[in-house]
Amino acid sequence: MKLIFTGHDCRYAVEQSLLAFFPNERPVYEGEDENTAKVALTEESGGARAVTELWADGKSARGEARTDIPEAADEYERERLRQRAVKLSFFHAARSLTGITPAWGALTGIRPAKLAAGLLEEGRSLSEAERTLEETYFVSPQRRRLALECAREGLAAKRGLKPEEISLYVGIPFCPTRCAYCSFVSNSVEKSFHLVEPYLEALLAEVDSAAEMVRDLGLRVKSFYMGGGTPTTLSAEQMDRLLGRLGERFELSRTVERTVEAGRPDTITAEKLAVLGKNGVNRISVNPQSMDDAVLSAIGRRHGGADIRRAMELVGAAGFPHVNMDLIAGLPEDSPQGFQKTLDEVIAFGTDNITIHTLSLKKGSRITLEGTRIPTVEEVGEMLDYADPALRASGFGPYYLYRQKYMSGSFENVGWCRPGGTGWYNIYIMEELHTILSLGAGGSTKLVDPAENRIERVFNLKYPLEYMQRPEKIQSNQAAFRAFYEQIRS
């Protein structure tokens, strides 16, 4: 669909609404297309007015929305309110033309719980906040409930934070093989095994300098998370060396949690699990995505359901206090019945944390490039509609959620846990509650000043080879980190 903007460039908001209503369309800005949306924004006294004229599938519709903009609003707030008018105008036009109301209504952002939390922090009651989600944004009852439940968890996490606390992320951008749905910066060890050891040496050097910086600034690590890729692609000796150095350089004894993604079951061994336990890791994540052998084969996994069961036996014997398992609704060759069977088996493992992702069709993934057959939006909705009550009936509640671009059905990813199983790092990063210091290739440090509602990002180099070859980029990033905190305290 061709998008024509006048008076604004709110691409993200409109593109996300477009995908929610027209999942087979992709936004274009050049050339001609019979399906077209003209979205105009004008500033008025005290507010902004947006009008969308939409032509699709031989039909047309018009949508209009206005938002008030207080005189005292800063530019960040003014832009947010302008975007609200734009996306609501497109929503009204698309809803009129299609007769469809997406599950998340007019909401297009990554963090719907953050919006709900903001309403509660303004002093609104739960019922008042829910009414805003319903009447202003047209969010469905199930998603309103999810947003408010996760908002309360986020606010509870926020109350437990101190100004000097940050979280620490370490990235290991290697996997045994590359999954068909993956667009992350990860390298198949089959093709890049020779890079693992030199990458580790470069990472250890960054650990040393980052830890010195954190000490100099008087900061303290609240939660630690090692992800990827698949961290357990490292050998037991390499893992021990890295975790040992982290424990020596950073003060991790008072962290609320230490998490490592064990991820792929074909990388899990009793020896590696022993190394994790020895180094104080108290939460691991085993990510089968599916228990169905045909689905696992379709996404490029070289293991089956039996390997996942074997890995979970090892994890159970190792005695980790908290274990998460990830599943994806909408994978190639899956069906609602197959997904339900997978979820039932995963619940039966007895873990205290399960994350239900919705397949996101990223541009760089093999699924997108090869045109693999995937479940329909209706089938994905059926999977998620099963997951919610099934998890609640087994003692789980939602504690964080987020959405992604190109997500099937414009649905969501939700972290569920049993009482005491909250993954705090997940809340801190998704609700942007405090700074996340990221080490390693592909890492993105998120600098957060809660007092001023200010967020800045500093990106590490994406690929392992360039990360190793350009240590000056790490030095530059750390200088920016220091400057941010020095400015806060000045």
Side-chain angles (χ1 to χ4, degrees):
M1 177 178 290
K2 185 173 183 180
L3 302 180
I4 302 171
F5 297 159
T6 303
H8 69 96
D9 191 27
C10 300
R11 293 194 177 199
Y12 182 83
V14 175
E15 287 178 1
Q16 290 301 97
S17 289
L18 167 66
L19 295 172
F21 283 98
F22 306 97
N24 295 322
E25 293 280 351
R26 288 295 180 268
V28 296
Y29 296 90
E30 302 293 338
E32 298 296 326
D33 194 314
E34 289 185 3
N35 293 345
T36 301
K38 294 182 178 180
V39 189
L41 178 72
T42 55
E43 298 276 348
E44 299 179 340
S45 176
R49 175 173 170 268
V51 175
T52 294
E53 296 176 285
L54 178 63
W55 295 267
D57 303 323
K59 297 182 288 185
S60 64
R62 185 178 187 277
E64 183 174 335
R66 187 185 188 282
T67 56
D68 295 330
I69 301 179
E71 286 188 16
D74 59 21
E75 186 52 36
Y76 174 85
E77 179 67 7
R78 296 179 69 85
E79 181 60 22
R80 186 182 70 82
L81 292 169
R82 286 192 289 260
Q83 287 189 23
R84 177 193 292 179
V86 166
K87 68 183 179 183
L88 282 173
S89 75
F90 186 93
F91 171 84
H92 290 311
R95 187 176 184 230
S96 175
L97 189 145
T98 64
I100 295 171
T101 302
W104 284 103
L107 289 186
T108 58
I110 295 170
R111 300 173 176 84
K114 192 172 183 179
L115 169 64
L119 296 172
L120 296 176
E121 286 189 300
E122 290 173 3
R124 304 193 197 191
S125 66
L126 281 171
S127 60
E128 289 171 334
E130 181 175 9
R131 189 157 54 249
T132 297
L133 293 175
E134 178 184 10
E135 296 178 357
T136 301
Y137 297 103
F138 304 90
V139 180
S140 72
Q142 181 182 342
R143 268 62 188 191
R144 296 199 301 268
R145 182 184 185 187
L146 278 176
L148 289 167
E149 287 173 322
C150 292
R152 285 186 293 178
E153 294 293 329
L155 291 174
K158 184 176 181 179
R159 289 191 291 269
L161 291 174
K162 297 178 181 178
E164 71 274 12
E165 291 175 332
I166 65 172
S167 286
L168 177 63
Y169 175 88
V170 175
I172 306 298
F174 300 99
C175 285
T177 59
R178 189 176 180 85
C179 293
Y181 56 80
C182 183
S183 65
F184 290 131
V185 179
S186 58
N187 294 261
S188 167
V189 171
E190 295 174 312
K191 299 179 180 179
S192 58
F193 180 78
H194 64 287
L195 295 177
V196 176
E197 185 59 31
Y199 173 80
L200 183 58
E201 290 303 317
L203 180 58
L204 291 172
E206 187 184 11
V207 167
D208 291 347
S209 58
E212 180 180 0
M213 175 185 68
V214 166
R215 286 194 303 272
D216 290 348
L217 293 170
L219 302 175
R220 184 168 72 83
V221 178
K222 178 75 169 181
S223 70
F224 166 75
Y225 194 103
M226 186 183 293
T230 305
T232 42
T233 301
L234 298 179
S235 69
E237 184 277 329
Q238 289 169 332
M239 184 81 67
D240 194 32
R241 198 181 343 146
L242 175 55
L243 289 171
R245 183 74 69 88
L246 285 160
E248 291 169 4
R249 299 295 191 262
F250 287 93
E251 173 52 65
L252 299 179
S253 63
R254 293 185 291 170
T255 52
V256 67
E257 67 186 7
R258 280 187 256 182
T259 304
V260 171
E261 287 188 1
R264 302 273 288 264
D266 44 340
T267 68
I268 296 174
T269 67
E271 183 183 14
K272 291 180 185 179
L273 295 175
V275 165
L276 299 181
K278 167 192 166 185
N279 285 281
V281 173
N282 58 10
R283 178 185 294 274
I284 68 169
S285 185
V286 181
N287 304 330
Q289 315 305 3
S290 174
M291 296 297 295
D292 188 301
D293 288 351
V295 176
L296 292 170
S297 176
I299 64 174
R301 292 290 185 97
R302 293 187 178 176
H303 65 79
D307 299 296
I308 299 167
R309 298 178 192 102
R310 174 196 59 79
M312 290 304 294
E313 288 179 3
L314 294 175
V315 169
F320 287 95
H322 305 289
V323 179
N324 173 73
M325 298 186 77
D326 280 10
L327 300 178
I328 299 178
L331 288 173
E333 303 303 326
D334 208 355
S335 65
Q337 296 73 26
F339 178 83
Q340 293 169 16
K341 184 177 179 181
T342 283
L343 179 58
D344 290 345
E345 183 169 2
V346 167
I347 291 173
F349 282 126
T351 62
D352 65 350
N353 202 299
I354 296 174
T355 306
I356 305 295
H357 295 270
T358 302
L359 180 65
S360 180
L361 296 174
K362 298 295 182 67
K363 292 180 181 179
S365 69
R366 203 172 77 240
I367 290 176
T368 302
L369 296 173
E370 296 180 359
T372 308
R373 190 201 70 81
I374 58 173
T376 65
V377 168
E378 292 74 20
E379 288 174 321
V380 175
E382 191 175 338
M383 295 174 188
L384 298 178
D385 287 344
Y386 178 83
D388 188 302
L391 286 160
R392 293 182 189 276
S394 297
F396 290 83
Y399 72 95
Y400 87 104
L401 72 91
Y402 66 102
R403 301 169 71 204
Q404 293 172 275
K405 197 172 184 180
Y406 302 120
M407 180 173 277
S408 181
S410 195
F411 290 120
E412 68 284 325
N413 304 321
V414 182
W416 298 81
C417 68
R418 288 182 164 124
T422 301
W424 297 104
Y425 174 87
N426 293 325
I427 297 180
Y428 299 152
I429 190 169
M430 283 303 155
E431 300 309 309
E432 300 179 315
L433 298 182
H434 72 179
T435 290
I436 309 291
L437 172 59
S438 296
L439 311 183
S444 171
T445 290
K446 183 177 291 186
L447 295 155
V448 179
D449 179 4
E452 297 296 327
N453 193 29
R454 181 166 65 102
I455 296 175
E456 295 182 10
R457 289 173 174 81
V458 179
F459 299 93
N460 273 4
L461 293 165
K462 291 178 66 173
Y463 301 105
L465 188 59
E466 62 177 352
Y467 168 82
M468 292 184 283
Q469 292 175 340
R470 294 184 55 194
E472 71 275 8
K473 174 59 173 161
I474 293 172
Q475 296 165 7
S476 172
N477 288 355
Q478 291 180 2
F481 191 102
R482 285 181 182 272
F484 182 88
Y485 274 93
E486 288 167 357
Q487 183 181 6
I488 287 176
R489 295 165 180 177
S490 63

